[in-house]
Amino acid sequence: MKIALAWLKIMVVAFGLIFGSAALAVDSNYISGIWAIPATKQLGDRLYNVAPQTCANTCSANAACTGFYSFTDWNTCQLYGADADIASRIGPWSNVQMNWKKPSPDPLTQYTSGIAPIPNNGALTETLYGYQPQQCAKMCNAKADCIGFHSFTDANICRLYGLDSTWSTTNGPWSNVKMYMKVTQPRILMVDAHVLTTTNGGNEGWTREFLQKLLAKATQQMNGGEVVFSLGGYDRVVDDALYNGRLQWPILQKFGNTTHQGRVTIYVSSPYPTDASGLSWQGVTFAPYSVISSRHNSFNDEDIEETAKIFLHEMAHNQGFYHNSSTDWVANPSDGGGSFLSFPYATDWYWNNSPLARQVWARLADWSKLHQKGIDQSLKANNYNCAIGAQLPNRGAFPAPNVPARTSQECAARCSQSTSCVAFYSWTDSPTCVLFDATSIGHDTEAGWLNVEMCWRK
C-alpha cells in the first residue's frame, strides 16, 4: 500500500508538470505560471544572479521583450523576443516559472466564448500544451483559415480549428473546456489537392505543408485575404502513364468525377507539361476543378508566387472568366493601363485590380459554407411564395455569376442568407439559381417559363 501511494504521488506531480500549475505573478504587468517555455526566440543570453523582479524590470524596459522565465530556486533569467509566446515549447519544469507580458489589446476580445461542445474533426493543429488562451488566440489570428479554438479552464491546453470543424460531430460539452470562436469569421474556400506521382516517386516536395504555403500565397494575392483558401483533403495519386505523359488534358478528363459541390479540387501534374501550365473547364460551376503543373519544383518564393497565380487563373475559368480581350479590358490611361468594367472578368490580375471579380469568390465561399452545413428543408415553404411559369423580373439580378444550386431549396437558402435578396428563380429541370434585389420589385417583367419557378419573399 505504501508503494502504491508513493507511485500515486509521483503520478500527481507528473500530471501537474504536464498541464501546468498556477504561480504568483512577479508584478501586475505579467501573467505567470509553471508552464512550458519557448524552445526558440530567446532575446540575448541567459542572465545569472538576477532576481525575478529585476528580470521583470529588464523585460518591461525592453519593447522587444515579450516575456521571460526565471528559476524559482536560484536567480537565473532568460528574456524572449517577438512571437516567443507562440513558438514551439519544451518543459515545463517545477522550478522554472514562465512570465508573459499581458497583451494589449487582449486578443480574446475578438472571440466569443462559452462552455460548448467541441469538434472531433477539422482541427488545424494537434493538442498544444503550455499555452494560455491569449496565446492560443494569437496563434489563431495568425492563421487566416482558423475560425476558433478550444481551451481548458484549469490547464494550459488548446487546439485550433478550421472551417471543416463547423459541421463536424462534436464531443462534450465539459465544464472545464471553453470553445472560443472568432467574432468576425473569415470567408474560407476549402481546397482538396491530389498530387500525381509514380511507382518510382515524383513530386516529393509537394507535401501538405508546401500546399499550405501555396494556398497562403494565393490568399495573400487575393487582396490580402479577402477570401481564404484552406487545404482540406490531400493525397498522392500513383499513375505512371499520366505523370510521364506530360499532358494536362488526360488528367482533367480522367478525374472530372472526383469533385465535390462547394469545394475546390486541384490535381498537380508533373513538371514541364507540354500542353499548358494549367488547365480547367470553362464555365460557371459550384465545384471548381483544375489541373496545375508542379512547375520547376524549386520551391523558392518566386516559384510559389507564380504557381499561386496559375491556381487563381484556372479557378477564374471555373467561374466563367475569360482571357484578356477587348470585352474584358478597357483602356484607362488614368491607372496606367486598364480597368475591369464588365463581366466576364479577365482571368489574370483580377485579384489585384477588380473588387467585383473578388466578390465572386466571397459569394462562392459564403454559399459553400451554407452548402456544407446543410439546408433547412422547410425554409423555402415558410419564407417564399413560389409559382412555376410566373413572370420574371427583367432587372435587379445579383451580379453574375450566380453559380448553380442543385435544388430550389438551396437557392432559397442563399437568398435568405443575404439581406438584400428579395426573390430568386430556379429551373426545375437543371441546376440553376438567380437572385434578385429590391430594384426588381414593381418593375417590368418578362414572360415566365413552364420549367422555371419564380419565388418572392413573403
Side-chain angles (χ1 to χ4, degrees):
M1 179 63 70
K2 290 182 180 179
I3 294 174
L5 286 174
W7 274 109
L8 178 61
K9 289 180 180 179
I10 292 172
M11 289 174 66
V12 170
V13 170
F15 185 85
L17 289 181
I18 291 174
F19 293 105
S21 58
L24 295 176
V26 291
D27 64 39
S28 60
N29 295 317
Y30 291 84
I31 54 175
S32 307
I34 305 297
W35 305 324
I37 65 174
T40 57
K41 311 295 184 181
Q42 291 90 345
L43 185 65
D45 295 328
R46 188 179 302 172
L47 306 175
Y48 298 96
N49 299 317
V50 176
Q53 186 58 57
T54 303
C55 192
N57 295 341
T58 304
C59 184
S60 297
N62 188 340
C65 184
T66 62
F68 66 94
Y69 75 63
S70 61
F71 280 62
T72 59
D73 48 2
W74 72 81
N75 293 329
T76 302
C77 164
Q78 175 65 62
L79 306 185
Y80 288 92
D83 292 330
D85 51 348
I86 59 174
S88 58
R89 300 296 184 91
I90 54 176
W93 297 282
S94 60
N95 65 333
V96 180
Q97 177 172 305
M98 192 66 217
N99 306 271
W100 293 107
K101 283 183 178 179
K102 290 182 178 178
S104 181
D106 187 344
L108 290 179
T109 59
Q110 301 176 43
Y111 292 79
T112 59
S113 64
I115 303 297
I118 63 173
N120 66 359
N121 54 37
L124 294 177
T125 65
E126 299 295 330
T127 299
L128 305 171
Y129 297 95
Y131 291 89
Q132 288 281 306
Q134 292 90 343
Q135 296 163 326
C136 299
K138 184 175 179 181
M139 285 189 288
C140 190
N141 290 341
K143 290 181 176 292
D145 56 350
C146 183
I147 64 167
F149 63 94
H150 82 251
S151 178
F152 280 63
T153 60
D154 53 1
N156 305 304
I157 303 171
C158 74
R159 178 182 288 175
L160 276 54
Y161 292 95
L163 183 64
D164 273 345
S165 67
T166 59
W167 47 79
S168 76
T169 54
T170 54
N171 296 312
W174 296 284
S175 60
N176 65 333
V177 181
K178 274 180 129 177
M179 192 71 201
Y180 292 81
M181 298 296 289
K182 283 183 177 177
V183 174
T184 302
Q185 290 287 305
R187 283 188 164 111
I188 299 174
L189 273 172
M190 299 302 296
V191 180
D192 297 323
H194 309 274
V195 180
L196 265 66
T197 186
T198 73
T199 51
N200 296 318
N203 283 339
E204 302 306 316
W206 281 75
T207 62
R208 173 177 281 274
E209 291 71 26
F210 175 73
L211 276 156
Q212 287 171 333
K213 289 182 181 180
L214 177 64
L215 295 179
K217 178 61 71 173
T219 296
Q220 182 185 49
Q221 290 175 337
M222 188 68 78
N223 197 33
E226 188 168 338
V227 175
V228 176
F229 299 104
S230 180
L231 184 61
Y234 167 82
D235 64 8
R236 297 177 66 79
V237 179
V238 178
D239 194 312
D240 290 9
L242 287 180
Y243 185 93
N244 294 323
R246 298 178 60 193
L247 291 171
Q248 308 263 34
W249 176 244
I251 301 171
L252 192 73
Q253 286 183 304
K254 180 173 180 177
F255 298 111
N257 62 348
T258 64
T259 63
H260 299 281
Q261 295 293 302
R263 296 173 78 96
V264 179
T265 300
I266 61 171
Y267 279 79
V268 180
S269 70
S270 57
Y272 309 113
T274 57
D275 52 354
S277 294
L279 208 59
S280 59
W281 302 118
Q282 176 76 50
V284 181
T285 175
F286 195 38
Y289 166 56
S290 62
V291 180
I292 62 173
S293 165
S294 59
R295 289 173 53 77
H296 311 303
N297 278 338
S298 60
F299 310 114
N300 57 35
D301 290 343
E302 181 181 358
D303 197 32
I304 293 174
E305 182 169 348
E306 288 303 313
T307 307
K309 289 176 181 176
I310 293 172
F311 167 75
L312 293 172
H313 175 105
E314 299 306 330
M315 283 268 293
H317 281 310
N318 293 155
Q319 296 308 302
F321 295 15
Y322 291 89
H323 292 147
N324 288 350
S325 70
S326 59
T327 59
D328 304 325
W329 185 258
V330 179
N332 187 348
S334 65
D335 65 10
S339 60
F340 294 92
L341 299 178
S342 63
F343 176 82
Y345 308 105
T347 50
D348 288 317
W349 303 111
Y350 67 86
W351 49 87
N352 288 328
N353 296 312
S354 178
L356 288 176
R358 291 194 302 271
Q359 286 177 17
V360 170
W361 302 114
R363 189 165 65 242
L364 184 63
D366 288 341
W367 291 348
S368 295
K369 184 176 182 179
L370 183 71
H371 175 85
Q372 297 291 345
K373 292 184 73 172
I375 305 300
D376 177 1
Q377 295 301 307
S378 66
L379 183 147
K380 176 182 166 184
N382 291 341
N383 296 277
Y384 294 90
N385 291 316
C386 301
I388 294 176
Q391 289 184 314
L392 310 177
N394 66 359
R395 66 187 68 186
F398 277 36
N402 281 288
V403 299
R406 289 290 173 181
T407 67
S408 60
Q409 297 282 6
E410 183 161 332
C411 197
R414 292 181 185 179
C415 188
S416 296
Q417 191 181 39
S418 171
T419 57
S420 58
C421 182
V422 301
F424 69 90
Y425 74 65
S426 178
W427 292 67
T428 60
D429 51 3
S430 64
T432 187
C433 183
V434 179
L435 309 184
F436 294 89
D437 62 27
T439 59
S440 63
I441 300 174
H443 285 288
D444 296 339
T445 56
E446 298 176 348
W449 301 85
L450 293 180
N451 61 341
V452 177
E453 182 179 35
M454 184 68 212
C455 298
W456 292 88
R457 283 204 189 193
K458 293 180 178 178

